[in-house]
Amino acid sequence: MGVAAFLVGVMQAVAFAHVTVSPESATQGGYAALTFRVPNERDDASTTEIEVQLPTDSPLASVSVKPHPGWSYEITKTKLATPIEVHGAQISEVIGKITWTAADSKSAIKPGEYDEFSVSAGPLPETDRLVFKTLQHYSDGEVVRWIQEPASGADEPERPAPMLRLVPKGDTASSTSTGTARAALAAGSTSETGSGAGAPWAIGLSVTSLVISLACAATMAVRSRRTR
């Protein structure tokens, strides 16, 4: 059990060290509030700049950036080789990159900390996923490139890019099936644990209560006879 707990902790720490986007999934054709979580995985430098590249092969026509205290942002637009039509309008230029920069060392993401940067984007294209390649800049000049795309059936790459899974309209069950399955599994595990551990205790308490009750009844009967 100790080894298992240790491994779970290690796996959680490794997963948390990645730059990720939430939610994990969204619906095609809709809009979504996307949050990029950026942890600092260094113990001797701070994160001072974040570059998030928006996919241009499946472009997002509308992107709004949420202001972040202590950080400024810069938008870089990209010309599309093939314009897209959104709500009857032809879009030939979209946001291709967002760069957040810390105003000073106090605002930077320090060792042992993380920060979150949010945007609103849509309409989400009719594709199965969006990959947001991200560059993380540190105060000592190092740049960590979270740009590796996961391959089907392969292990997670060392520097995976944040990825948003997209599901067709009306397919809400598939987007929530993982969470529902995990919740059901957790509930089942709790129920089984409670039943397995609680049953012996319940039986023991019942037997003890019965013995005490019989002893009290016998004592009262003896006292009653002596009084008579």
Side-chain angles (χ1 to χ4, degrees), residues 65-151:
V65 183
K66 182 179 180 180
H68 193 83
W71 291 69
S72 62
Y73 67 87
E74 180 181 355
I75 290 175
T76 303
K77 293 189 175 182
T78 300
K79 288 281 188 179
L80 298 177
T82 303
I84 58 175
E85 183 175 339
V86 179
H87 304 310
Q90 292 289 319
I91 305 297
S92 59
E93 188 178 63
V94 297
I95 294 178
K97 182 175 69 173
I98 305 173
T99 303
W100 283 275
T101 305
D104 49 40
S105 58
K106 293 182 179 179
S107 301
I109 308 173
K110 301 172 183 61
E113 298 181 348
Y114 76 93
D115 210 337
E116 295 178 334
F117 305 84
S118 300
V119 302
S120 175
L124 300 176
E126 294 183 359
T127 185
D128 60 344
R129 67 181 185 180
L130 291 178
V131 178
F132 301 92
K133 296 183 178 182
T134 302
L135 273 58
Q136 182 176 10
H137 295 254
Y138 282 91
S139 56
D140 62 355
E142 180 187 7
V143 179
V144 178
R145 302 176 182 276
W146 303 96
I147 60 174
Q148 296 174 311
E149 298 189 31

Side-chain angles (χ1 to χ4, degrees), residues 163-195:
M163 185 183 72
L164 174 68
R165 186 168 64 92
L166 298 179
V167 297
K169 293 180 180 179
D171 192 14
T172 55
S174 63
S175 64
T176 58
S177 59
T178 302
T180 303
R182 289 177 179 174
L185 179 60
S189 300
T190 302
S191 176
E192 291 174 3
T193 302
S195 299

Side-chain angles (χ1 to χ4, degrees), residues 172-228:
T172 55
S174 63
S175 64
T176 58
S177 59
T178 302
T180 303
R182 289 177 179 174
L185 179 60
S189 300
T190 302
S191 176
E192 291 174 3
T193 302
S195 299
W201 281 103
I203 295 174
L205 289 174
S206 299
V207 172
T208 302
S209 299
L210 179 60
V211 171
I212 293 175
S213 298
L214 291 175
C216 291
T219 301
M220 292 177 65
V222 170
R223 291 181 177 177
S224 177
R225 290 177 182 178
R226 288 179 178 178
T227 302
R228 292 178 182 177

